[in-house]
Amino acid sequence: MATLSLNLYSPSIGHKCLFPKSHNSPSNFRISCSSSFLQNKKQFKKDYTSVMIVPTGVGAAIGGYAGDALPVARALSSVVDCLISHPNVLNAAMLYWPMPNALYVEGYALDRFAEGLWALQPVHQNRVGLVFDAGIEEELLIRHLQVVDATRASLGLPIVGYTVTDTPLLVEKWVDPTSGQSTGRIQRPDSLLRAVENLQKGSKVNAVAVVARFPDDDTADLDDYRQGKGIDLLAGVEAVISHLVVKNFQIPCAHAPAVLPPQLDTSLCPKSAAEEIGYTFLPCVLAGLSSAPQYLVKGNNFSKEDCIVAGDVDSVIVPINACGGDGALAFANRKRNKPLIIAVEENQTVLNDTPDSLGIEAVKVSNYWEAIGVIAAHKAGIDPNSLRSNRIKNIAPISFVPSNGFAISSAKSFV
């Protein structure tokens, strides 16, 4: 909102200044209504960056289904200056939501970013290509190609071409008996890597969507997922596929499974419904990849001025018992510019990697409502504990041990 102020111009010194309104103002100064000072206030404070992580295939109560963590990401993006998250959070099959200040970062790349090995370079748009599994039936392939054309015509997405693998990828999926999370493999990773390489050479793409033919789910397992229970059996091996591409080519990648439409279910859980309203899961992947940041590998002469690095992250939000991933641990163990770690108790998973079990210093919150409040306070430069009853205690002295081995207090205690 503009505020009334004096916009003063002095011919002798040649610059503008702000002056309270007064009848005694010099005659060579003129009054105007200006908000330029307020508009430039960001120059006094760095942008606030948050990372939101919900691991894939671990049965997360929020984010373990068809884009059901996307509302959280939307709310977070309205509070922070920059939100960094990954496809499991931002994808919702046929649905997606554009957030100008959100960066769509594949999970393997997010881990390397957290470790300080890679940086993120925001872009206006990418040249996106697609790799289709040769095992996809003709009719199902046509359905996917129609979705691609629809996103090009109706959304203007920069999709430049596609290729088909030279042999079926042969996807296998299972549940890890130790961790309880979904995982899997493709029997022909070489075929996928050749297809991506040919696509890069032929169409100069710098982002890739992969569509692999997945085996049809067991009826009982599918019914649980459709009712908002259990884990996503497809998600684990989807991560394996995208990790493989990103590790080898260092470009944005995301995966959309090709499956036959299931039978109509009249009691579908809303958390799983986004996957039931079309023939493919591809629209959200193409929308995300179209403006995903490029990955810059440390040592390749990237400049911090034109990219985002791990030290820019101010806070990281994770489920309470899913803090053991490479990215979360890397952020938690930073020696400099350590971000605030926020663990959400309501978002339970099949894992047991809590902050306490891993020795991680974290702010524990009951739900994402509280997490957003903590981030708003943190961004404002306020200790979040000062917003709670009786959370601020008397300040304590800080002791240090000099070379003689005797502890010395650096301040007197007034407790």
Side-chain angles (χ1 to χ4, degrees):
M1 181 177 69
T3 58
L4 183 65
S5 65
L6 285 185
N7 187 348
L8 307 182
Y9 184 83
S10 171
S12 60
I13 57 177
H15 67 270
K16 294 180 181 179
C17 57
L18 294 176
F19 216 83
K21 187 174 181 180
S22 169
H23 293 296
N24 298 322
S25 300
S27 60
N28 62 335
F29 286 14
R30 60 182 181 272
I31 300 175
S32 69
C33 187
S34 171
S35 61
S36 60
F37 180 78
L38 296 179
Q39 290 170 350
N40 292 330
K41 64 181 179 180
K42 285 189 176 180
Q43 65 181 311
F44 301 114
K45 226 172 190 183
K46 70 182 284 288
D47 283 347
Y48 189 96
T49 300
S50 283
V51 172
M52 178 182 172
I53 299 174
V54 181
T56 301
V58 298
I62 301 170
Y65 299 90
D68 56 306
L70 185 54
V72 179
R74 287 186 58 196
L76 275 173
S77 72
S78 71
V79 175
V80 303
D81 296 304
C82 176
L83 174 65
I84 300 172
S85 197
H86 52 109
N88 186 56
V89 171
L90 301 175
N91 282 354
M94 293 291 288
L95 305 177
Y96 61 93
W97 193 269
M99 292 174 277
N101 63 332
L103 297 180
Y104 182 93
V105 181
E106 194 274 340
Y108 179 88
L110 184 55
D111 289 343
R112 304 294 81 77
F113 167 74
E115 292 166 351
L117 301 176
W118 291 12
L120 306 177
Q121 184 177 49
V123 302
H124 290 296
Q125 68 169 218
N126 293 314
R127 290 176 56 84
V128 182
L130 294 101
V131 172
F132 289 103
D133 184 354
I136 299 175
E137 299 90 332
E138 182 180 5
E139 181 176 332
L140 192 54
L141 176 61
I142 292 172
R143 293 287 189 187
H144 280 79
L145 291 174
Q146 288 173 341
V147 167
V148 174
D149 284 341
T151 62
R152 294 169 64 225
S154 299
L155 302 180
L157 298 187
I159 319 299
V160 298
Y162 76 92
T163 189
V164 179
T165 61
D166 52 26
T167 186
L169 297 179
L170 303 176
V171 174
E172 296 178 344
K173 55 186 175 65
W174 63 84
V175 174
D176 187 315
T178 303
S179 66
Q181 64 189 100
S182 67
T183 185
R185 66 171 183 170
I186 53 174
Q187 295 185 34
R188 295 303 303 271
D190 57 316
S191 180
L192 174 59
L193 295 179
R194 283 195 298 272
V196 175
E197 184 177 13
N198 291 336
L199 195 60
Q200 268 195 314
K201 291 180 178 178
S203 299
K204 308 298 182 186
V205 302
N206 56 1
V208 174
V210 178
V211 183
R213 179 65 167 98
F214 270 49
D216 297 319
D217 283 324
D218 177 82
T219 303
D221 292 331
L222 180 59
D223 286 345
D224 283 345
Y225 178 77
R226 296 174 87 188
Q227 295 306 313
K229 299 179 291 185
I231 61 174
D232 184 349
L233 294 177
L234 281 63
V237 68
E238 285 195 273
V240 170
I241 292 170
S242 64
H243 289 4
L244 177 66
V245 174
V246 173
K247 181 179 180 180
N248 281 273
F249 296 95
Q250 293 89 50
I251 60 174
C253 176
H255 179 269
V259 294
L260 296 177
Q263 295 295 316
L264 179 67
D265 187 337
T266 58
S267 59
L268 191 68
C269 175
K271 294 197 296 185
S272 304
E275 295 179 355
E276 306 271 344
I277 58 176
Y279 293 97
T280 82
F281 302 162
L282 196 51
C284 62
V285 168
L286 297 179
L289 289 175
S290 67
S291 59
Q294 288 293 312
Y295 309 141
L296 304 179
V297 179
K298 189 174 183 179
N300 285 0
N301 298 320
F302 65 75
S303 169
K304 187 182 183 301
E305 282 68 34
D306 61 1
C307 62
I308 300 170
V309 298
D312 294 325
V313 174
D314 298 285
S315 59
V316 179
I317 308 96
V318 291
I320 186 69
N321 55 6
C323 300
D326 289 349
L329 288 175
F331 281 124
N333 293 326
R334 283 189 63 84
K335 302 300 182 184
R336 298 183 59 190
N337 300 327
K338 184 176 180 178
L340 181 69
I341 308 297
I342 303 170
V344 182
E345 293 173 341
E346 189 174 50
N347 200 2
Q348 294 286 326
T349 75
V350 299
L351 305 177
N352 194 32
D353 299 325
T354 64
D356 291 342
S357 69
L358 297 169
I360 293 175
E361 182 182 352
V363 176
K364 299 174 187 176
V365 297
S366 297
N367 49 54
Y368 283 108
W369 291 353
E370 291 185 11
I372 293 171
V374 168
I375 288 171
H378 193 229
K379 179 183 178 183
I382 296 170
D383 179 352
N385 286 312
S386 67
L387 276 63
R388 301 289 303 276
S389 174
N390 300 322
R391 288 295 184 96
I392 299 296
K393 306 301 181 182
N394 293 102
I395 192 166
I398 298 174
S399 298
F400 65 93
V401 180
S403 58
N404 62 12
F406 292 97
I408 297 177
S409 175
S410 61
K412 292 181 179 181
S413 173
F414 296 94
V415 180

